[in-house]
Amino acid sequence: MQDGSLLQQLDPSHLAAPHRSLPRAVHCWSEEQLTNQLQVPVLKSRDTEAKEKGGLLCDLVLEQDNHHLNSRSPVHVWGYFFDCMESERSQRMGNACIPLKRIAYFLCLLSALLLTEGKKPAKPKCPAVCTCTKDNALCENARSIPRTVPPDVISLLFTSNSFDVISDDAFIGLPHLEYLFIENNNIKSISRHTFRGLKSLIHLSLANNNLQTLPKDIFKGLDSLTNVDLRGNSFNCDCKLKWLVEWLGHTNATVEDIYCEGPPEYKKRKINSLSSKDFDCIITEFAKSQDLPYQSLSIDTFSYMNDEYVVIAQPFTGKCIFLEWDHVEKTFRNYDNITGTSTVVCKPIVIETQLYVIVAQLFGGSHIYKRDSFANKFIKIQDIEILKIRKPNDIETFKIENNWYFVVADSSKAGFTTIYKWNGNGFYSHQSLHAWYRDTDVEYLEIARMPQTLRTPHLILSSSSQRPVIYQWNKATQLFINQTDIPNMEDVYAVKHFSVKGDVYICLTRFIGDSKVMKWGGSSFQDIQRMPSRGSMVFQPLQINNYQYAILGSDYSFTQVYNWDAEKAKFVKFQELNVQAPRSFTHVSINKRNFLFASSFKGNTQIYKHVIVDLSA
């Protein structure tokens, strides 16, 4: 009989259904032939050896099971299939195949167990830079945190290592770690999630490193932590470390005393003794929010029918543009407009529930409009006398003893600054002030002439031909009377006022020379601060929440935003804005959002959002 290939391919159906009989064929090999092809000793039972004749073995077929071969596993699995056929040799061998099958099944089972064992991940070995025992590991001279620390360690120590940064999840896979010492290194930075997953950690030491701060929530999730050692670091006690002060106040862990190395006012102070009140971490800024593609002069805001609106005077198109807040898009959109000629001021005034708008124009006269709620449009109801108001430059509205007034500053040579009073049906001329002086601005404010006395209404008129003049309201005559002027302040273009803790201040704008901040002293205004202001036509104070600002515009440089320093009782530089030829700055508050509108005589009107930033977050 010819020798067949020992690695004979069987029909797969025989593998899937081993109970089916194999092809009726008998192949026999000598033991020497079988051993040479298998490269392993032939397994035979004693009964087989006894019944063996002619040195031949009965139909032993070996097939390699490719499905279980794994080149990465040190164990190769071989399946053994035996069949004793009805032939002379098989009859002579009798039941010799039965024990051989049992041995083959045993070998298969053993091989499967070895393969399963081989697939189990090997336990991490101790890193080369570490010395490990069953529960402890000591790592020295490492360039980074090793990733192959044995997972069963309870105590881990890093000392005298060269790495200075520890990244997120540096100790992942160490669920049993209870003691972690990272001491006497040069650690400068630790990530927020460095210790994530160490739920069993009891003691953490970062002593004697070069840490200046720690990220917020670095100890989050360390529920078992009872001891923390942060000594020997150079902590900078600024807003980034405010969270640590708050954490020290409520943690149950024992923390050794640590000290500030900076800033200078906190140097050598014990961090454990600080409170969150020692940190002023809230800052603000004006962030660009929206551009309006047109030039503008005056900008005013008003409330009407439970909504907030903005009205903008456009000198070149001659329009008063009304804007409303789009609650969906979160932007300002057009609401309505009043068309005119050379419009310089659009001043809204709401009397009871009726909206009026005073439209001041350089040409074609000035007019008063009324909002018709039924027709849903503005209707002109009155002309302002052109003989008195020839070149309007500013309008101010105010209320005295339940009577509404508005005053128009006229800058023409033959004009009069004139006060108008509401009589129930319209506005009529009430008083003319300061004839022939070319007034550029008018400001209404209330000040007390003597300490502990009630404040009374006053008007300040600015003029290019003399110092600002102060008028006081006379209750008996219901008129303003000339009281005094502001000395040493010639060529003031505008005056705007603000209050801080009950004290009244004014900002005086000068196009040439220094603009000033002055404080009311009971009988006169006194110098507080000077600001260089070449080319300035607006120095506008405004208050947003608890923040007091003053914004100084310029035709030749950046707009300077100042913030009031309560300790110094003066303004300090805060921010610069790039606005071309600004003419007014207006605070608009809508839906708990605060905006700054900046008009521009030469560029686009700009809208900035007032943003509050917590540096400790």
Side-chain angles (χ1 to χ4, degrees):
M1 182 180 293
Q2 294 180 354
D3 293 339
S5 171
L6 181 61
L7 301 179
Q8 176 181 341
Q9 297 294 321
L10 296 178
D11 185 342
S13 62
H14 300 306
L15 299 180
H19 62 278
R20 297 174 59 184
S21 61
L22 294 172
R24 296 286 181 174
V26 178
H27 299 283
C28 294
W29 294 271
S30 67
E31 180 178 349
E32 181 180 359
Q33 289 174 321
L34 191 60
T35 303
N36 288 338
Q37 293 208 40
L38 282 177
Q39 298 298 317
V40 294
V42 176
L43 299 175
K44 298 180 295 181
S45 67
R46 291 181 180 178
D47 292 339
T48 301
E49 291 176 347
K51 296 181 180 181
E52 180 180 5
K53 292 184 179 181
L56 297 178
L57 296 179
C58 173
D59 284 3
L60 173 59
V61 180
L62 174 66
E63 181 185 41
Q64 187 175 4
D65 187 353
N66 292 315
H67 292 289
H68 294 83
L69 281 178
N70 188 340
S71 60
R72 294 173 293 179
S73 172
V75 178
H76 290 182
V77 181
W78 297 83
Y80 296 89
F81 300 91
F82 303 91
D83 190 19
C84 287
M85 303 302 177
E86 293 180 1
S87 64
E88 291 182 0
R89 290 190 177 87
S90 62
Q91 290 175 1
R92 288 197 301 268
M93 293 179 65
N95 295 327
C97 282
I98 295 176
L100 195 58
K101 283 183 179 180
R102 292 176 180 173
I103 295 173
Y105 293 151
F106 171 75
L107 290 175
C108 287
L109 178 61
L110 179 61
S111 299
L113 292 174
L114 290 174
L115 177 61
T116 303
E117 183 67 22
K119 287 186 177 181
K120 289 184 179 179
K123 291 186 178 180
K125 296 181 180 180
C126 186
V129 295
C130 303
T131 302
C132 304
T133 63
K134 179 181 178 181
D135 297 328
N136 307 296
L138 167 63
C139 302
E140 299 178 286
N141 301 316
R143 294 184 178 181
S144 63
I145 299 291
R147 295 289 185 176
T148 57
V149 176
D152 296 330
V153 297
I154 296 176
S155 176
L156 180 58
L157 170 62
F158 289 90
T159 184
S160 302
N161 295 280
S162 59
F163 56 85
D164 57 6
V165 175
I166 306 180
S167 59
D168 286 342
D169 300 318
F171 303 98
I172 205 74
L174 301 176
H176 306 294
L177 189 64
E178 297 181 3
Y179 300 91
L180 177 58
F181 303 87
I182 308 175
E183 300 178 340
N184 301 301
N185 300 283
N186 189 34
I187 308 300
K188 297 179 181 178
S189 174
I190 297 181
S191 298
R192 174 172 295 188
H193 302 299
T194 287
F195 305 117
R196 182 160 50 188
L198 300 183
K199 295 184 177 181
S200 300
L201 194 65
I202 296 173
H203 184 100
L204 173 63
S205 176
L206 299 171
N208 301 316
N209 284 287
N210 196 22
L211 293 169
Q212 295 186 6
T213 190
L214 290 172
K216 188 176 182 180
D217 295 333
I218 191 173
F219 303 131
K220 187 176 181 179
L222 306 183
D223 302 329
S224 302
L225 199 61
T226 59
N227 291 90
V228 179
D229 190 352
L230 301 172
R231 293 175 297 176
N233 288 285
S234 303
F235 287 116
N236 187 35
C237 297
D238 58 8
C239 290
K240 293 181 180 179
L241 214 62
K242 179 182 177 181
W243 75 269
L244 180 61
V245 173
E246 295 172 345
W247 182 80
L248 289 172
H250 63 71
T251 183
N252 293 323
T254 300
V255 184
E256 301 292 340
D257 289 343
I258 48 179
Y259 296 86
C260 303
E261 286 298 317
E265 60 267 25
Y266 288 147
K267 188 175 179 64
K268 300 304 179 184
R269 282 192 62 178
K270 188 186 297 185
I271 297 179
N272 311 59
S273 67
L274 296 175
S275 70
S276 58
K277 296 180 181 179
D278 293 319
F279 298 85
D280 184 12
C281 299
I282 305 298
I283 66 168
T284 62
E285 68 174 347
F286 291 99
K288 191 71 168 293
S289 174
Q290 192 175 345
D291 255 359
L292 304 178
Y294 45 75
Q295 295 85 4
S296 58
L297 285 177
S298 74
I299 300 178
D300 279 279
T301 181
F302 62 95
S303 297
Y304 178 62
M305 303 293 288
N306 299 319
D307 280 316
E308 295 292 326
Y309 298 90
V310 179
V311 57
I312 302 175
Q314 296 182 358
F316 300 110
T317 63
K319 292 182 178 180
C320 294
I321 297 293
F322 292 83
L323 304 179
E324 65 177 350
W325 178 250
D326 188 324
H327 294 272
V328 177
E329 298 295 332
K330 309 301 181 186
T331 58
F332 290 92
R333 65 186 180 190
N334 287 346
Y335 169 70
D336 206 342
N337 68 84
I338 298 174
T339 302
T341 304
S342 301
T343 304
V344 292
V345 181
C346 304
K347 195 70 175 183
I349 178 172
V350 179
I351 300 176
E352 295 179 351
T353 60
Q354 182 60 58
L355 170 64
Y356 301 92
V357 181
I358 305 136
V359 180
Q361 301 181 144
L362 295 180
F363 306 102
S366 298
H367 314 282
I368 300 175
Y369 289 80
K370 172 185 176 180
R371 183 68 181 179
D372 189 325
S373 58
F374 295 102
N376 198 29
K377 64 180 181 179
F378 288 99
I379 300 173
K380 186 169 70 172
I381 63 169
Q382 185 179 345
D383 295 327
I384 297 176
E385 48 195 340
I386 195 170
L387 294 178
K388 290 184 178 181
I389 306 301
R390 297 174 180 269
K391 193 177 180 181
N393 207 69
D394 185 35
I395 298 177
E396 187 82 351
T397 62
F398 53 92
K399 188 177 183 181
I400 301 176
E401 298 175 357
N402 294 321
N403 291 314
W404 280 101
Y405 301 83
F406 73 83
V407 55
V408 181
D410 189 272
S411 60
S412 67
K413 291 182 180 180
F416 297 85
T417 292
T418 305
I419 301 172
Y420 293 84
K421 182 181 179 181
W422 173 253
N423 67 358
N425 296 314
F427 292 90
Y428 67 93
S429 177
H430 179 71
Q431 183 181 3
S432 293
L433 303 171
H434 215 220
W436 315 100
Y437 279 104
R438 303 180 65 180
D439 296 328
T440 54
D441 180 82
V442 57
E443 179 75 353
Y444 174 84
L445 71 165
E446 295 182 357
I447 53 178
R449 282 290 170 177
M450 297 294 294
Q452 308 302 322
T453 60
L454 295 176
R455 293 184 176 184
T456 57
H458 287 72
L459 291 177
I460 301 179
L461 300 183
S462 301
S463 171
S464 59
S465 59
Q466 70 175 67
R467 295 186 293 267
V469 178
I470 303 175
Y471 287 82
Q472 182 180 357
W473 177 255
N474 187 301
K475 187 175 182 179
T477 62
Q478 300 286 293
L479 299 173
F480 284 95
I481 58 174
N482 190 341
Q483 186 69 29
T484 184
D485 61 15
I486 300 176
N488 303 317
M489 283 301 295
E490 287 78 11
D491 297 322
V492 172
Y493 183 79
V495 174
K496 302 299 176 184
H497 83 285
F498 65 98
S499 298
V500 175
K501 295 182 178 179
D503 294 322
V504 177
Y505 298 81
I506 56 174
C507 292
L508 300 93
T509 311
R510 299 176 74 183
F511 191 81
I512 300 175
D514 293 341
S515 293
K516 281 188 179 181
V517 179
M518 305 183 78
K519 179 181 178 181
W520 178 251
S523 59
S524 64
F525 284 100
Q526 302 165 355
D527 284 2
I528 295 295
Q529 191 174 3
R530 291 173 175 261
M531 277 86 164
S533 59
R534 179 174 175 267
S536 177
M537 297 186 71
V538 55
F539 188 15
Q540 180 68 55
L542 52 87
Q543 185 173 4
I544 302 178
N545 297 330
N546 295 323
Y547 301 96
Q548 180 64 55
Y549 300 100
I551 306 178
L552 182 62
S554 174
D555 283 9
Y556 307 122
S557 61
F558 288 103
T559 292
Q560 299 293 331
V561 182
Y562 296 88
N563 190 19
W564 181 260
D565 188 318
E567 293 183 1
K568 298 178 180 178
K570 61 175 57 179
F571 286 107
V572 295
K573 278 190 176 183
F574 171 71
Q575 188 178 352
E576 288 186 344
L577 303 178
N578 186 12
V579 183
Q580 297 183 48
R583 293 296 182 265
S584 66
F585 296 99
T586 305
H587 169 221
V588 179
S589 180
I590 293 181
N591 282 1
K592 297 182 180 180
R593 294 177 173 89
N594 292 285
F595 298 92
L596 173 67
F597 277 67
S599 71
S600 172
F601 187 66
K602 296 182 180 180
N604 289 345
T605 301
Q606 299 182 22
I607 305 175
Y608 294 86
K609 185 177 181 181
H610 185 254
V611 180
I612 299 176
V613 181
D614 186 354
L615 296 179
S616 66

